[in-house]
Every structure is written in structure tokens, then in C-alpha cells.
Amino acid sequence: MEWFHCNKCFLRTGSKFAVSSCGHICCEACIKPQCVICGTSCSYLPITDKMKIQERVFFMDPMKLFQSRLEHITQSQIADFQRTQMQRATAYFKHKSVELEKRLKEVTQQSYQIAELKRENADLKSRNMELKQEMAELKKPLSQRRGSPGQFQTNSVQRISLPVAVASP
Ligand SMILES: [Zn+2]
Ligand SMILES: [Zn+2]
């Protein structure tokens, strides 16, 4: 009797299970006075081998019912119940896989963005280094600057800046 699952958390093993009067299966942790699936006040029947035969049949292989003498419970009722349970699980896992796919896309997108940001950061860092070098260069006296032309040396500047009237006789 292990084909079913908790209709709330989709647990399959490792817990006791019960079926509610509203037809939902819950694990021990999900059993509440009001059904966690449909919200109706319900009673629970523990799913065990000690269930009455007319209760237990719903968890049995419908094919085996050929051998049973339960006229009031039809084979299709049982098959319907089990099919609904299966559909529930299928829908749940389908939804899960869609969610996971979406999440994977997000993560891929994020790692792409992180790579972009890292590249930008590296660019900014090297630009920052360049600016620091430029600043250091600007702080040096004119004469020590890389490639400063000779005509800009102090004495020549002074000579040039003398008023023309004073320089001429
Ligand atoms: Zn559960
Ligand atoms: Zn319910």
C-alpha cells in the first residue's frame, strides 16, 4: 500500500497516513481538524492493514477485487479514487519541474549579470589606476614630468614673462 502520497506535502514514505472523510490523504504532520486540502471539517481514518475491508479496497489494486465479494463498491469507484490521487501527484511534480526550470533560468541570468559586473568592475579598477598615475604625474614639478619640453623650464618662463619695456634699452 505505498502508491499514494500526502495530498499536502507529497510525502510518500516515512510517516503514517490517513484518509479524510472528504477523500484526501494526509501524512501525520499534515493532519488538521480542518482538511488542509479543501478546508472542510473532516474525520480521518488511519491507512493501515487493519482497516475494514470496505475501506482498505480503495488502497488495493482494483484488479485484485475480482477475487473479492464487495458488491457495493465498484471497481471503477476505486480506480477513480486512485486515478485522482495519481493526477494530483503528476500535477504537483509537473509544477515543481516548471518551477525548477524557471529558477535555473534565473540563476543562469544572474551569473551572466555577475560576470558583466565583474568585467565592469575590472574596467573601473584599471581606469582608477590610470587616474591615480595621472594624478601622481600632475603633482610632480613641471621639470620632472614625463616628456615636458625644455622651453617650459623656470628661467625661460621668467625671461619670457618680463615686460618688453624693461628688457629693451
Ligand atoms: Zn503531508
Ligand atoms: Zn479535503
Side-chain angles (χ1 to χ4, degrees), residues 75-93:
Q75 207 182 321
S76 71
Q77 265 181 294
I78 294 155
D80 278 353
F81 176 74
Q82 293 188 1
R83 196 182 309 117
T84 313
Q85 288 296 321
M86 289 301 179
Q87 280 165 354
R88 222 174 255 282
T90 312
Y92 173 79
F93 289 111

Side-chain angles (χ1 to χ4, degrees), residues 1 5-6 30 38 44 46 51 67 83 95 100 107 117 143:
M1 300 214 297
H5 56 270
C6 170
C30 293
C38 66
Y44 293 90
M51 285 191 295
Q67 300 138 27
R83 196 182 309 117
H95 175 75
L100 282 174
V107 169
L117 287 172
S143 57

Side-chain angles (χ1 to χ4, degrees), residues 14 20 24 26 43 56 70 73 79-80 100 116-117 139:
S20 66
H24 293 120
C26 288
S43 54
R56 202 168 52 198
L70 294 155
I73 297 164
D80 278 353
L100 282 174
E116 277 280 287
L117 287 172
K139 274 181 194 161

